Amino acid sequence: MITFPKLLQHFPKLYIRILVLLTLVMLTITLWPASKPKNPPDATTKTLDLTPKLLIENTQATLQPLPIIHPEKWTSVTVKSGDSLSTLFQRVGLSAQDVYQVSQATKKTKALSPLFPGDTLDFLIKNERLDKVRLIKTPLLQTIVQRKDGTNYTVETITRKPDIEPRFVQGIIKSSLFVDGQNAGLSQKKLMQLATIFGWDIDFALDIRGNDQFALIYEEKYLDDALIGEGDILAAQFINRGKIFNAIRHSDGNYYSPQGYSMRKAFLRSPVDFFRISSKYNPNRKHPVLKTVRPHRGVDYAAATGTPIKASGDGKVTWRGTKGGYGRTIIIQHAGIYTTLYAHMSKYNSKVKKGSRVKQGQVIGYIGSSGLATGPHLHYEFRTNGVHKNPLKVKLPNAEPLNKEQMEEFKPVAKTIIELLEAYQLGSPLASI
Ligand SMILES: [Zn+2]
């Protein structure tokens, strides 16, 4: 199925257009729901509306005459810096007594505090008396304080859940993932997430070629038909130099290939984010401080003192302390046959001690120049069965694949989402661009 759009490139344009039209008609016939059920208000990320959006947009409900409602007259005030409940109440002509009664009602729950500049308070005043005051914190959270009897007020907090709808986006790389992704309508945040998912297999600075393709389905959050935010990427595809990578989100929040292999590797390629490699792995190097031939069995990452150093994989700290010329050093024992070493630190993360379990990417310490070092850098070693390996070249093992039980949950989800991705692609093939 995946190669289908590629196949299309070999046909004349007119054929493709006819084929696209036919496919759309077929899809419409097969996928058009007899009557589309309204999404329940508490739709969660687990419910997937499998009807491609193209079709939803064409579905028009018959307009019913609206019932006549006499709207309540609310007065809104925007909170400015230095405002308090008193000044806000004053501004709409309410008394100190009203402030006192509302404060009493909200004292315990702090429902109306803290107020920030830009927040809006809505007042419903009936016969010159406060009936309701409403604070809309976010579209999903609002508080209403309502007069019950005489001088007593009740507080009600209303939380709402957004409707989740899948959104499909695809594109072809002309200049870079960043530029073409934004042109295709992706936010910078989504692009970062996309690059992170495939970042283990594809170097987005070096490996990208013109005509590489990407496609993804992610969640959009709607409230009363208005878009209020983005959710997770559910599935993504990247075709890099003809090689297809598919990634699907599992309920553990990680991404796996349709076969259940983790998209991430068990080790980060580099334990520092911002660096320049100042010395490579070299068994015959002359040591810059000792001036004798001493093999360099690691990689040096030069970066400013204080730059965070991350554990390159999950594991257990077996050493934390000064270790001769290495200075302040941490050694991590990973599952199986792997150990990693981090030297010349300026300081450790105080929470990471000998015996601590650490997670991949967790900050374990900070770059420095303790021990025998000419300047601030991380000296990083990677050992397999106790034997030094070049961290820049060693074939990194994959992270744990899904086990049999997890696969039972994952497989049907993966199948459905890949089919949906393909249905979308057929609905608007790249070949027509
Ligand atoms: Zn070194």
Side-chain angles (χ1 to χ4, degrees):
M1 283 293 272
I2 288 154
T3 53
F4 192 57
K6 295 203 86 210
L7 196 70
L8 287 174
Q9 289 165 358
H10 303 288
F11 286 96
K13 277 233 160 103
L14 182 63
Y15 279 43
I16 293 165
R17 293 220 173 101
I18 293 166
L19 194 58
V20 169
L21 270 174
L22 279 174
T23 315
L24 271 176
V25 169
M26 287 298 287
L27 270 175
T28 312
I29 292 164
T30 49
L31 293 176
W32 198 289
S35 62
K36 186 190 173 292
K38 182 94 189 78
N39 266 355
D42 61 344
T44 63
T45 55
K46 286 200 177 93
T47 53
L48 246 184
D49 185 348
L50 297 186
T51 319
K53 202 149 192 191
L54 282 172
L55 302 180
I56 297 170
E57 277 160 5
N58 294 335
T59 318
Q60 289 283 329
T62 325
L63 284 177
Q64 296 290 328
L66 289 168
I68 297 159
I69 298 166
H70 296 288
E72 296 178 315
K73 271 200 171 167
W74 290 82
T75 311
S76 297
V77 202
T78 306
V79 178
K80 290 184 215 137
S81 137
D83 265 337
S84 64
L85 270 195
S86 305
T87 57
L88 293 161
F89 274 52
Q90 237 172 39
R91 211 172 297 156
V92 291
L94 291 168
S95 67
Q97 206 190 354
D98 293 314
V99 177
Y100 175 75
Q101 286 159 3
V102 169
S103 304
Q104 284 298 309
T106 57
K107 202 164 69 181
K108 262 194 198 149
T109 53
K110 298 211 184 310
L112 293 182
S113 60
L115 289 171
F116 294 103
D119 282 350
T120 302
L121 275 188
D122 303 322
F123 296 90
L124 183 65
I125 300 166
K126 284 182 179 169
N127 305 323
E128 293 174 18
R129 292 191 64 186
L130 176 65
D131 190 52
K132 287 178 195 171
V133 54
R134 177 174 66 192
L135 171 66
I136 300 177
K137 264 286 174 202
T138 70
L140 301 177
L141 177 67
Q142 56 172 283
T143 299
I144 298 179
V145 184
Q146 183 172 12
R147 186 146 54 83
K148 203 169 65 182
D149 53 59
T151 57
N152 284 322
Y153 285 83
T154 55
V155 182
E156 191 188 357
T157 302
I158 300 164
T159 49
R160 301 185 63 191
K161 278 188 178 170
D163 293 324
I164 306 283
E165 300 250 2
R167 166 138 197 248
F168 170 74
V169 171
Q170 68 180 348
I172 296 181
I173 307 275
K174 300 272 179 230
S175 60
S176 73
L177 176 64
F178 196 71
V179 170
D180 297 301
Q182 282 190 311
N183 287 342
L186 290 175
S187 66
Q188 293 191 11
K189 199 172 158 199
K190 275 284 150 292
L191 281 166
M192 286 305 290
Q193 288 169 352
L194 188 66
T196 306
I197 292 171
F198 294 110
W200 303 90
D201 295 297
I202 304 163
D203 183 333
F204 282 95
L206 300 173
D207 294 344
I208 296 298
R209 295 292 180 272
N211 293 326
D212 277 0
Q213 296 175 21
F214 61 89
L216 66 155
I217 297 173
Y218 65 90
E219 294 173 334
E220 279 187 332
K221 296 173 183 172
Y222 288 86
L223 200 68
D224 304 327
D225 293 328
L227 180 66
I228 60 157
E230 296 176 349
D232 296 312
I233 293 176
L234 300 175
Q237 184 182 79
F238 202 97
I239 305 177
N240 177 229
R241 298 193 258 187
K243 196 171 173 197
I244 299 165
F245 298 91
N246 283 313
I248 298 134
R249 190 177 195 274
H250 183 50
S251 57
D252 64 4
N254 294 317
Y255 291 85
Y256 297 87
S257 72
Q259 294 75 34
Y261 293 108
S262 179
M263 295 307 289
R264 71 179 180 92
K265 301 273 187 268
F267 293 93
L268 298 173
R269 185 60 79 182
S270 114
V272 216
D273 276 337
F274 304 101
F275 60 86
R276 144 184 91 74
I277 292 173
S278 49
S279 177
K280 289 189 180 170
Y281 188 89
N282 178 0
N284 305 310
R285 181 187 71 150
K286 207 174 211 185
H287 193 276
V289 175
L290 300 175
K291 307 286 180 207
T292 53
V293 173
R294 295 246 320 225
H296 191 235
R297 294 201 175 107
V299 173
D300 290 347
Y301 296 95
T305 299
T307 303
I309 299 165
K310 300 187 287 190
S312 60
D314 295 356
K316 192 175 158 188
V317 174
T318 54
W319 176 278
R320 196 200 91 162
T322 303
K323 201 172 168 57
Y326 281 124
R328 289 187 196 93
T329 301
I330 282 181
I331 300 176
I332 300 173
Q333 171 74 54
H334 305 279
I337 55 175
Y338 306 101
T339 49
T340 52
L341 176 147
Y342 314 75
H344 306 311
M345 291 184 180
S346 57
K347 58 176 185 174
Y348 311 107
N349 175 351
S350 58
K351 286 184 192 136
V352 175
K353 308 219 164 71
K354 191 182 169 186
S356 298
R357 296 231 156 252
V358 289
K359 284 268 164 214
Q360 182 178 62
Q362 186 180 335
V363 173
I364 52 171
Y366 302 88
I367 281 192
S369 44
S370 59
L372 282 176
T374 47
H377 73 280
L378 165 72
H379 170 90
Y380 174 61
E381 291 181 13
F382 189 98
R383 294 179 206 187
T384 305
N385 275 329
V387 179
H388 288 89
K389 300 279 173 181
N390 182 349
L392 298 175
K393 299 249 172 83
V394 66
K395 193 176 178 317
L396 297 174
N398 285 322
E400 285 282 290
L402 292 172
N403 63 31
K404 220 173 151 192
E405 248 168 60
Q406 292 165 323
M407 269 311 272
E408 269 168 38
E409 182 200 332
F410 177 73
K411 246 193 173 151
V413 177
K415 188 170 175 288
T416 309
I417 197 80
I418 289 289
E419 279 170 6
L420 182 61
L421 193 69
E422 286 170 355
Y424 276 127
Q425 285 171 323
L426 288 175
S428 53
L430 287 169
S432 66
I433 292 171

